[in-house]
Amino acid sequence: MLTQVITTPVRNLSLSGIKNTENVRYQLSPEELIQDTLRLGEGVLSDSGALVIRTGEFTGRSPKDKFIVKDQITESTIHWNDVNQPIDQKYFDIIHGKITEYFESLPELWVRDCYACADPRFRLKVRVITAKPCDNLFAYNMFLRPGDEELENFLPDWHVISAPDLKLDPAVCGTRQHNAAVVSFKHKMILIAGTAYTGEIKKGIFTILNYLLPQEQNVLSMHCSANIGEKGDTAIFFGLSGTGKTTLSADPDRKLIGDDEHGWSADNIFNFEGGCYAKTINLTEEKEPEIFNAIKPGAILENVIFYPGSNSVNFDDGSITENTRVSYPIDYISNAIEPSIGGLPKNIFFLTCDAFGILPPIAKLTPGQAMYQFISGYTAKVAGTEAGIKEPKPTFSACFGAPFLPLHPGKYAKMLGDKMQEHKVNVWMVNTGWTGGPYGIGTRMKLKYTRAMISAVLEGKLNSVAFQADSVFGMSVPLECPNVPADILNPRNTWSDKSEYDAKARFLANLFIKNFDKYKDGATAEVLAGAPTI
Ligand code: ATP
Ligand code: MN
């Protein structure tokens, strides 16, 4: 049954190009969006009250299907590459036409006004128009939620229009295949079609902020999480997907600022988002109580499986995808601060999940090493699920976030370098990946040890211990750390076959050097000295 159908087009919906719409469901509450989802059979409730949905064909982002309209604005400003792919204005117009036509044919659609950037100086007003109520709830969870007063004269800066069930014809639309996310800076629009992976909505806005903030506001935008200690000391955690940004920022002893996207202005660190988007594979209440307890009414669980005959989630079941997720408003984490703003950071952590088991679990970086590692953006994932493939898959993604960075990585790196120098920030490398050997032989570093190492840094407990330089990577490895067995601090000690460790370390160092080749010319001697040596 329809409840509270709004039958008039809302507040200039025509700005989006969508006309003649009758059943606009504007700014519904989470409860109403959950009811709509259940009514349409697009989700069910788990026993903890979270809404459980499936995202269909796509259970992760599709970077090869993301396009930016090449026009006067973007032509010479975008760093065109395989993740910043150009598309012609004429195709944007065609796709926009298809999407508006599609929305005009729907019996109902959901509209949400929200904003990005917790610091009001940089606020971006966003109108999200979705063909599914659960996507609208995702926008409620993930973006900042305006109060009634702020809604009164809400004129959106940007539109996100999401139509998961609209399949594009690549021959007509100029896309690679039937799905695409298309950004137009001229029209200030992100069009998403053919994919129901909710993460495209949030990472679309992240992409445009990574374009706008550094160029127009002199704010460094970052793919990182952030939290703040009792003494007001902010820490930030960079890292590619699965390295631990969300997990490690949810720290019972520190207040959460945000789990994925932040800006670094002249005087603060601020969250872009109003919610978190956590991985749930192998989640346990014991190891990650804050995230576990956020899975309650209003939260959306994606692609999880219930224990047979129940509505109880089996978090160990990755049969749909290993990338099972939950989104929730940031205040579902009990110690989140609002507004999500902290002071300038004292410590920066670069998280890597090194499935080769080579990098030390914690190490201090010189400014040159820090820049080298930031530009490299290394992690190594566990290889795919295909039988027989055991080698970890190395990834180098500049600034720990290349898929979301429309500008040249050098722009972000320069800003970070300047800020690190100006504020004398300590930079640490944290390997949350393998110890005791590579994937298949060793094991993943225990979360409690990684947490203990980070706590030790933040409490200043590594200030007085001795360090030793890693013979290949040069970074300074502490010889002891409170609450961590000393023999795991040097990864070489944890391998039974030392010569195998040495060979693999050289192999990995070579990958770094080869990858850095393309940045070599623009790099200073100090940064080049941060490279591994073989
Ligand atoms: P994304 O950018 O995709 O959101 P993320 O960096 O936020 O990725 P997390 O969601 O924090 O990554 O994922 C880290 C995963 O690794 C979690 O499932 C966590 O339980 C698991 N994990 C296991 N051991 C560790 C460890 N030592 N440190 C951090 N995370 C660990
Ligand atoms: Mn995350």
Side-chain angles (χ1 to χ4, degrees), residues 240-247 288 325 432 444-445 447 450:
L240 293 167
S241 186
T243 58
K245 292 183 299 300
T246 298
T247 297
E288 300 185 61
R325 293 270 181 173
T432 65
R444 188 136 187 211
M445 182 60 58
L447 182 54
T450 301

Side-chain angles (χ1 to χ4, degrees), residues 223-227 235-239 243-246 248-249 251 254 258-260 347-351 430 454 458:
H223 187 214
C224 71
S225 59
N227 63 21
I236 57 181
F237 304 81
F238 285 93
T243 58
K245 292 183 299 300
T246 298
L248 296 169
S249 60
D251 178 338
R254 296 173 62 83
D259 84 325
D260 198 53
N347 287 284
I348 295 178
F349 297 91
F350 293 158
L351 308 177
V430 176
I454 287 171
L458 294 172

Side-chain angles (χ1 to χ4, degrees), residues 263-276:
W264 184 340
S265 76
D267 52 20
N268 69 11
I269 294 288
F270 64 92
N271 192 353
F272 294 166
E273 302 181 284
C276 300

Side-chain angles (χ1 to χ4, degrees), residues 392-470:
K393 195 171 175 289
T395 309
F396 290 93
S397 181
C399 314
F400 298 103
F404 324 115
L405 303 179
L407 306 176
H408 191 282
K411 171 86 182 163
Y412 308 97
K414 170 86 172 66
M415 288 181 87
L416 183 71
D418 290 348
K419 285 180 184 295
M420 285 189 324
Q421 201 175 18
E422 186 186 343
H423 304 292
K424 307 249 176 312
V425 193
N426 294 314
V427 185
W428 306 82
M429 189 91 212
V430 176
N431 177 7
T432 65
W434 266 250
T435 179
Y439 174 73
I441 297 173
T443 54
R444 188 136 187 211
M445 182 60 58
K446 281 203 169 79
L447 182 54
K448 71 169 183 191
Y449 292 154
T450 301
R451 285 198 199 278
M453 290 181 242
I454 287 171
S455 297
V457 166
L458 294 172
E459 289 161 15
K461 292 190 176 149
L462 296 189
N463 293 344
S464 49
V465 308
F467 285 79
Q468 192 173 36
D470 183 284

Side-chain angles (χ1 to χ4, degrees), residues 83-196:
V83 288
N84 293 322
Q85 307 174 94
I87 193 166
D88 274 2
Q89 176 67 45
K90 77 167 180 213
Y91 292 124
F92 177 86
D93 294 338
I94 292 170
I95 297 166
H96 182 249
K98 300 258 176 223
I99 282 202
T100 50
E101 200 175 283
Y102 173 78
F103 271 94
E104 284 157 12
S105 75
L106 292 177
E108 49 187 336
L109 59 104
W110 289 262
V111 177
R112 166 138 254 114
D113 288 340
C114 42
Y115 56 87
C117 298
D119 185 329
R121 293 175 296 177
F122 309 114
R123 194 167 278 184
L124 186 88
K125 284 181 271 168
V126 183
R127 176 165 291 168
V128 183
I129 302 176
T130 68
K132 288 183 188 293
C134 60
D135 290 346
N136 208 268
L137 182 59
F138 180 81
Y140 174 89
N141 285 350
M142 294 307 300
F143 295 119
L144 289 149
R145 295 159 284 275
D148 289 343
E149 270 166 46
E150 291 165 296
L151 285 174
E152 253 163 47
N153 297 308
F154 194 95
L155 195 64
D157 300 314
W158 274 75
H159 282 80
V160 180
I161 311 181
S162 164
D165 293 337
L166 172 67
K167 289 194 180 350
L168 303 175
D169 177 351
V172 176
C173 297
T175 54
R176 186 180 72 106
Q177 50 179 38
H178 60 274
N179 64 301
V182 183
V183 181
S184 166
F185 283 91
K186 182 172 152 206
H187 298 270
K188 298 191 160 88
M189 262 185 208
I190 301 171
L191 308 178
I192 299 167
T195 170

